[in-house]
């Protein structure tokens, strides 16, 4: 049976995932990569929220984490170029 934290993560993800992917897609110029980076943010939430608690603004937390993943991805691409 899922915990309340996991249920909260699932609910926020259902509501916000499309918007997160769209914002990240504009950053990285690709929908496939954006979906992977958004899922990385979801994984981070699944790792951190059970231990740290649900943040005050979970949607913003996911968006910020996804954007940071996108910036890391762009930096890595620049280094390899």
């Amino acid at each position: 049976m899922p915990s309340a934290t996991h249920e909260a993560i699932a609910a926020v993800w259902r509501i916000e995932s499309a918007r997160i992917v769209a914002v990240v897609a504009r950053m990285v110029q690709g929908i496939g990569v954006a979906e992977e980076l958004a899922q990385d943010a979801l994984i981070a939430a699944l790792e951190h929220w059970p231990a740290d608690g649900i943040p005050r603004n979970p949607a913003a937390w996911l968006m910020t984490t996804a954007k940071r993943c996108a910036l890391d991805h762009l930096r890595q691409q620049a280094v390899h170029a």
Side-chain angles (χ1 to χ4, degrees), residues 11-30:
V12 172
W13 183 252
R14 270 192 308 274
I15 295 166
E16 298 294 329
S17 62
R19 189 170 68 94
I20 292 169
V21 170
V23 169
V24 173
R26 283 191 294 273
M27 292 176 71
V28 298
Q29 302 297 311

Side-chain angles (χ1 to χ4, degrees), residues 48-70:
H48 292 278
W49 294 8
D52 301 339
I54 299 170
R56 258 190 318 191
N57 189 339
W61 190 98
L62 282 171
M63 181 66 78
T64 300
T65 303
K67 285 180 176 181
R68 288 179 181 163
C69 289

